[in-house]
Amino acid sequence: MSVVKQDPRNSTALTGNEAVAQAMRQIEPDVVAAYPITPQTEIVQIFSTYVSDGLVNTEYVPVESEHSAMSATVGSAASGARSMTATSANGLALMWEILYIASGTRLPIVMPVVNRALSGPINIHCDHSDAMGARDSGWIQLFSENAQEAYDNMFQAVRIAEHPDVRLPAMVCLDGFIISHGMENVFTLEDNAIREFIGDYMIERSLLDVEQPMTLGPLDLQDFYFEHKRAEAEAMVRSKKVIQSIAEEYEKLSGRSYGLFEEYKLDDAEIAIVVLGSTAGTARYTIDQLRAQGIKVGMLKLRVFRPFPFEELKQALAHVNVIGVMDRADSFSSIGGPLFSELRAVMYDSETRPLITNYIYGLGGRDINPRLIEQMVRELADVQEAGRLNQYVNYLGVRE
Amino acid sequence: MAEMLEIRWHGRGGQGAKTAALLFAEAAAAAGKFIQAFPEYGPERMGAPVISYNRVSEEPITLHSGIESPQYVAVLDPSFVGSVDFTAGVPDGGVIIINTGDTPAEMRNRMGLKNMSIRLCTVDASAIAQDTIGRAIPNTPMLGAIVKATGTLDLETVLVDVESKMKKKFRDKPEIVQGNVDAIRRAYEEVVSE
């Protein structure tokens, strides 16, 4: 979302978790099955009070683990109910087995993921290692810069996941503590407008449809498994268009524009920062300061990590000389983080071949501030000057 | 970039430093400002030092980094003198408001604060809270003191907003709501500046 100045008097001061819980109230899923984990806990705690206060007509299932949360969500989604859960970090890791069953069974579950570092060592603060661990699980992944985007992404995720061309589960990622526990101005929409936007949950067939009995999740061996996976891959390809058209529809409703990514001062940039999540806001601030000093730096903030919008990224970044890819997760591949690996692969057949280097930062909630981003941009300017890279992977803000 | 107000709150777990930052942000949003309020989470234990922050601006705030040089610092517990450096990063022209019955001059002496470009204010927030709410929870009176010191928000607007928020939280305890409103007003009036 580009920063549009709205009158703050029309806003509500909400934390990211409050905004997401509010969105869930407005979506009013048929079933929510969840288990608490820091920093996601408030979402399901607040939502459970909506249930007990009778504000939503949702069946709330307090399960005994995240494995069970995702299993119950899969079961209820398969039976024909709009179903949601929410988690963070180790909770998401514990769901791992069932994440693939949700996507492989083509169940349009929506799940906020409050990004937190995976243990060990144990840590409760933000990084993207949890979501990146699930990047190959067949889920759509939307990242949010702030509480407003987390709120807006929730409704769009419902529409994307349930779209007949897609039928895949979707994660709405928001940065733990930084966004989940930070209070900001959020411009909410009326309940009626949301109800109209998301519509009724219509899937063509479900387990409880007694007119059309069906089996779901049976053994699928050499004969058809491959075809089903091929279809799943194709659904992910098709989702890109759906994501864009739903964003356009949402803009008409909210006045806030979304896409696959957002470009900030990128048009005439020589140096580009590519980033996910809340750091984009800090980068925006830093870019303004560096632009005032005559440094031609811009940003590409990726909103949609799955599907990975490779053609659009290649085009948007073709004109820059140097790209600094910021990863809030390491992949321990010895050649950088996941966003870097994928973006570098995309740029391989770009005719202009910008120099591209990786900055791993902010692991376990390490603060990322304008000073560090400026340091990175100055190093990227040196790379531009030299016309070659010193190294592929840099660690930003770590004690070496 | 338009001028941005940054505040740091120091308290102990249970004194309501986080709530004070949230209430201040909510009141500022209601008054038409762009806001942020965020706590610094460490191990959460009753009595352990905790910190929370505010940003307030006329323009949308995109920064998501920590605050290193707050112009205003609210200290909910005077026992931090000598153990927690609550003056850290405060720039010249900055203001520190401390919950204590001492005068600013006495406090400056106790702290050994030589930098005269940092202004000290004091208010006996715990005593005010004891009088008005019946419990020595200093956060809402400190909110009143911050409103006075920063001068960005109108007191009456803040009181209306806090009252409406608290009415929802304390539906069955109107005396708590009134106590907090009185506490904010008294601290606003009683805070003493150098």
Side-chain angles (χ1 to χ4, degrees):
Chain A
M1 183 192 70
S2 41
V3 178
V4 193
K5 194 176 171 185
Q6 293 170 277
D7 186 344
R9 270 171 299 216
N10 301 327
S11 73
T12 313
L14 294 174
T15 65
N17 279 345
E18 287 170 346
V20 168
Q22 188 75 255
M24 285 174 69
R25 180 188 64 72
Q26 295 182 295
I27 294 164
E28 197 178 356
D30 300 309
V31 175
V32 169
Y35 188 79
I37 180 168
T38 302
Q40 155 268 29
T41 303
E42 286 175 340
I43 295 177
V44 290
Q45 178 222 315
I46 296 167
F47 187 78
S48 70
T49 66
Y50 295 151
V51 175
S52 59
D53 289 348
L55 295 176
V56 287
N57 189 22
T58 299
E59 183 74 28
Y60 185 81
V61 192
V63 289
E64 78 282 12
S65 77
E66 287 85 358
H67 190 280
S68 302
M70 186 46 69
S71 299
T73 311
V74 161
S76 66
S79 72
R82 188 177 262 154
S83 308
M84 295 178 70
T85 182
T87 196
S88 289
N90 296 41
L92 182 62
L94 189 55
M95 286 178 179
W96 201 80
E97 176 190 3
I98 317 298
L99 291 179
Y100 285 70
I101 295 173
S103 58
T105 317
R106 309 291 299 276
L107 298 171
I109 295 163
V110 170
M111 172 166 68
V113 174
V114 184
N115 297 118
R116 160 185 157 180
L118 284 172
S119 303
I122 191 165
N123 180 297
I124 59 168
H125 289 280
C126 175
D127 71 32
H128 296 158
S129 52
D130 52 1
M132 288 303 163
R135 75 193 152 134
D136 297 340
S137 65
W139 284 59
I140 308 265
Q141 292 184 314
L142 307 178
F143 280 80
S144 320
E145 179 181 327
N146 49 36
Q148 181 72 63
E149 292 195 358
Y151 175 81
D152 291 336
N153 277 336
M154 287 292 291
F155 308 120
Q156 295 179 69
V158 170
R159 287 286 306 281
I160 296 161
E162 293 176 10
H163 194 284
D165 290 348
V166 181
R167 292 295 304 275
L168 287 170
M171 294 178 195
V172 172
C173 300
L174 58 149
D175 284 351
F177 288 106
I178 302 164
I179 301 306
S180 68
H181 287 62
M183 178 178 272
E184 298 180 332
N185 310 74
V186 178
F187 297 87
T188 57
L189 296 168
E190 296 291 329
D191 291 359
N192 285 340
I194 294 300
R195 209 158 296 143
E196 204 175 306
F197 178 77
I198 61 169
D200 291 332
Y201 182 58
M202 305 281 251
I203 58 170
E204 59 270 40
R205 299 185 73 179
S206 68
L207 283 178
L208 294 184
D209 182 355
V210 290
E211 301 297 320
Q212 302 182 82
M214 67 185 277
T215 303
L216 215 91
L219 201 59
D220 191 21
L221 300 177
Q222 296 96 324
D223 52 353
F224 268 112
Y225 180 90
F226 199 174
E227 280 71 26
H228 288 136
K229 285 291 150 186
R230 178 71 188 86
E232 190 183 327
E234 203 50 35
M236 191 59 92
V237 172
R238 284 196 302 264
S239 70
K240 195 167 75 178
K241 262 201 180 123
V242 173
I243 291 167
Q244 286 166 298
S245 75
I246 286 169
E248 279 167 30
E249 214 181 300
Y250 192 74
E251 184 177 1
K252 286 188 196 117
L253 176 70
S254 66
R256 294 183 288 272
S257 86
Y258 287 87
L260 301 167
F261 47 76
E262 181 200 333
E263 296 169 45
Y264 185 69
K265 302 195 174 174
L266 193 60
D267 277 355
D268 65 338
E270 294 170 353
I271 298 166
I273 301 170
V274 179
V275 67
L276 290 163
S278 65
T279 306
T282 310
R284 209 186 288 275
Y285 172 91
T286 313
I287 287 167
D288 288 347
Q289 292 189 322
L290 294 173
R291 281 275 177 172
Q293 298 169 31
I295 299 173
K296 286 190 155 181
V297 56
M299 171 177 74
L300 187 148
K301 177 187 81 180
L302 193 55
R303 172 185 178 230
V304 181
F305 185 71
R306 284 291 180 268
F308 197 69
F310 64 99
E311 288 157 316
E312 293 81 358
L313 286 168
K314 192 166 74 179
Q315 206 178 346
L317 293 165
H319 66 282
V320 305
N321 298 328
V322 185
I323 304 170
V325 182
M326 299 186 75
D327 265 297
R328 202 162 196 158
D330 200 344
S331 66
F332 306 103
S333 66
S334 80
I335 178 127
L339 182 54
F340 172 68
S341 305
E342 300 202 359
L343 195 68
R344 190 172 154 76
V346 164
M347 300 313 285
Y348 177 79
D349 55 11
S350 154
E351 279 169 25
T352 49
R353 287 268 191 112
L355 295 164
I356 173 164
T357 183
N358 192 198
Y359 282 84
I360 291 176
Y361 74 99
L363 302 190
R366 175 66 50 83
D367 193 33
I368 176 81
N369 54 38
R371 201 173 50 242
L372 286 168
I373 295 175
E374 178 175 344
Q375 176 199 322
M376 176 184 77
V377 172
R378 294 201 185 280
E379 288 171 13
L380 294 170
D382 290 344
V383 167
Q384 175 175 244
E385 182 80 24
R388 61 179 175 81
L389 294 179
N390 288 328
Q391 54 194 11
Y392 291 128
V393 188
N394 309 271
Y395 289 85
L396 186 62
V398 73
R399 291 186 293 261
E400 300 266 15
Chain B
M1 190 76 201
E3 209 169 300
M4 185 153 58
L5 176 70
E6 293 184 320
I7 305 172
R8 185 171 66 209
W9 302 79
H10 290 267
R12 292 191 183 275
Q15 286 181 324
K18 178 188 164 190
T19 306
L22 295 177
L23 284 171
F24 185 76
E26 286 178 324
K33 310 278 184 191
F34 288 95
I35 54 95
Q36 282 181 350
F38 52 100
E40 187 169 276
Y41 281 93
E44 287 179 65
R45 302 181 307 272
M46 188 76 101
V50 293
I51 294 175
S52 56
Y53 302 95
N54 281 123
R55 286 192 175 102
V56 180
S57 172
E58 299 295 331
E59 298 297 321
I61 304 166
T62 68
L63 269 176
H64 283 128
S65 52
I67 291 173
E68 292 175 352
S69 305
Q71 299 105 315
Y72 293 89
V73 174
V75 183
L76 273 58
D77 194 324
S79 71
F80 285 145
V81 174
S83 64
V84 171
D85 182 14
F86 51 80
T87 65
V90 178
D92 286 355
V95 179
I96 300 174
I97 303 140
I98 304 165
N99 167 23
T100 171
D102 291 356
T103 65
E106 286 165 341
M107 215 46 220
R108 182 175 284 279
N109 194 31
R110 259 174 65 197
M111 288 164 62
L113 179 67
K114 303 241 165 17
N115 184 351
M116 295 307 286
S117 302
I118 294 175
R119 186 158 60 92
L120 289 189
C121 300
T122 59
V123 61
D124 200 345
S126 296
I128 292 173
Q130 188 68 53
D131 278 359
T132 53
I133 309 164
R135 285 176 68 195
I137 306 251
N139 64 343
T140 46
M142 286 302 281
L143 176 66
I146 274 280
V147 169
K148 177 68 176 287
T150 57
T152 10
L153 299 181
D154 168 54
L155 176 68
E156 300 306 323
T157 315
V158 173
L159 292 177
V160 167
D161 189 68
V162 169
E163 191 174 0
S164 77
K165 298 276 153 43
M166 286 205 161
K167 270 185 178 161
K168 281 181 207 152
K169 198 175 165 191
F170 299 101
R171 269 177 285 200
D172 311 324
K173 296 177 180 166
E175 71 282 2
I176 290 189
V177 179
Q178 192 52 48
N180 277 283
V181 167
D182 293 345
I184 295 171
R185 191 185 292 280
R186 265 191 59 186
Y188 181 91
E189 287 162 0
E190 291 178 18
V191 63
V192 181
S193 174
E194 273 182 323

